[in-house]
Amino acid sequence: MGKGDLRQVFGIFLVILITVGFAWAGSQDSVKVFGISLFALGVALAFIIQWIAFIPAFIFKTEKFYDLTGTIAYLAVTVSTLLLGGNISPRGRLAASLVAVWTLRLGSFLFMRVLQSGKDGRFDQIKTSFLSFLMTWTLQGLWVSFTLATALVIFTSQDQAPMDAFAVIGFFVWVLGFAIEVAADGQKNAFRKDPANKGNFIRSGLWAWSRHPNYFGEILLWIGMAIIALPVMRGWGWVGLISPVFVYLLITRVSGIPLLEKRADEKWGGQPEYEEYKSRTSILLPLPPKKV
């Protein structure tokens, strides 16, 4: 086993260790099913689904159903924890509905994209290595668990608060974020389909106010979910707030904006129009273009 393999083994172990700590914290105010914390069961299910799907994915060296598996995990964890909790409150039904809408929209969008392109270039080297490929599926389990954390608190909390101003405000924040994300993705998709735009970058619609408006919408909708969850958070249940924080850090520091900005700079860097667009346009928060 080489150094690269040892790093992957250590990485997988570290992810599992972090997840165990997260599941333990979220379990402190969770209802129990068969004597086991429902919060922990939900987290475990997210990982089990990934590891089961990894087996045929590695055998056939394909990543085509990677995003689809994430979608299935979100829905499976949501439905199972909501139903097993035995207390389907209005707040829980609201949160579950929002998770389902977001999951089905994003999952179908990503799945169709990889089908149309034939592959996901991120996996070209990874899918031939057992440990590296397993690491990506394990990380998706972490992504599902952390992103769903606020909703999981709602589904599994022993204390269910009645619908209130937090639920209403959170719902409208979520809707605004979702609308921005869908509109931005739709505008970019339409731009790419136009042959006249081949090789160009989008700078119209929401993209005139932000270089990544879809990511802003994604962050905003999970903030909305966190607002909905606030009244049921108690003690260690506040670990659920990791959801919007995790989404923000993932998008702005890890796999979202940094990667896309790098690719854009490699493709259009030095071109006057692109450099002007960068200097005038906010990187994330939609704002009127700066005057030059």
Side-chain angles (χ1 to χ4, degrees):
M1 183 178 289
K3 290 183 178 179
D5 290 337
L6 286 174
R7 283 197 295 268
Q8 295 298 332
V9 170
F10 176 75
I12 293 171
F13 174 76
L14 184 61
V15 169
I16 294 174
L17 187 64
I18 291 171
T19 304
V20 168
F22 165 72
W24 175 86
S27 297
Q28 301 310 299
D29 191 50
S30 170
V31 297
K32 288 181 169 53
V33 178
F34 309 118
I36 304 174
S37 158
L38 184 56
F39 188 97
L41 285 174
V43 173
L45 179 60
F47 279 83
I48 290 170
I49 291 172
Q50 305 309 313
W51 290 332
I52 290 175
F54 160 75
I55 297 172
F58 180 72
I59 291 173
F60 296 104
K61 301 296 187 292
T62 179
E63 74 283 4
K64 288 186 178 180
F65 54 90
Y66 180 80
D67 293 319
L68 181 61
T69 304
T71 299
I72 293 171
Y74 273 109
L75 293 176
V77 173
T78 296
V79 173
S80 61
T81 53
L82 186 68
L83 295 180
L84 287 174
N87 183 15
I88 308 178
S89 66
R91 191 182 302 271
R93 290 197 295 269
L94 172 63
S97 299
L98 298 182
V99 169
V101 169
W102 171 83
T103 302
L104 291 172
R105 205 288 303 187
L106 182 63
S108 60
F109 174 80
L110 294 174
F111 184 59
M112 291 305 299
R113 187 175 67 179
V114 74
L115 285 182
Q116 290 170 2
S117 63
K119 67 172 186 176
D120 188 330
R122 298 173 300 171
F123 293 88
D124 287 347
Q125 302 298 323
I126 297 174
K127 62 188 177 185
T128 60
S129 167
F130 178 88
L131 289 173
S132 295
F133 204 27
L134 177 60
M135 181 64 174
T136 63
W137 290 85
T138 302
L139 284 173
Q140 182 157 253
L142 183 71
W143 172 59
V144 172
S145 301
F146 274 17
T147 305
L148 202 55
T150 48
L152 267 179
V153 170
I154 296 173
F155 303 149
T156 65
S157 177
Q158 296 181 39
D159 300 315
Q160 292 295 328
M163 296 293 278
D164 53 15
F166 284 103
V168 175
I169 293 171
F171 170 75
F172 281 110
V173 170
W174 188 96
V175 169
L176 177 60
F178 184 75
I180 291 173
E181 183 177 31
V182 171
D185 283 340
Q187 289 170 356
K188 192 169 190 177
N189 191 43
F191 179 86
R192 286 176 170 173
K193 285 183 177 180
D194 188 344
N197 297 322
K198 186 176 181 180
N200 295 324
F201 59 92
I202 184 171
R203 48 181 169 164
S204 57
L206 289 170
W207 300 85
W209 285 46
S210 168
R211 304 207 297 274
H212 303 279
N214 53 339
Y215 285 150
F216 173 76
E218 176 78 355
I219 293 169
L220 190 61
L221 70 85
W222 288 110
I223 290 175
M225 183 66 75
I227 294 172
I228 294 172
L230 286 176
V232 299
M233 289 183 175
R234 304 281 189 279
W236 283 100
W238 288 98
V239 73
L241 290 182
I242 197 173
S243 172
V245 174
F246 173 75
V247 171
Y248 173 79
L249 292 176
L250 185 67
I251 286 174
T252 62
R253 298 290 185 267
V254 185
S255 65
I257 290 176
L259 289 179
L260 291 183
E261 287 287 302
K262 181 181 178 181
R263 290 178 189 172
D265 287 343
E266 291 172 349
K267 191 171 185 178
W268 299 295
Q271 297 182 17
E273 290 183 344
Y274 174 70
E275 296 299 338
E276 180 187 2
Y277 173 70
K278 279 191 69 175
S279 65
R280 297 186 62 196
T281 311
S282 167
I283 191 170
L284 181 64
L285 180 66
L287 295 170
K290 298 176 184 176
K291 295 182 179 180
V292 178

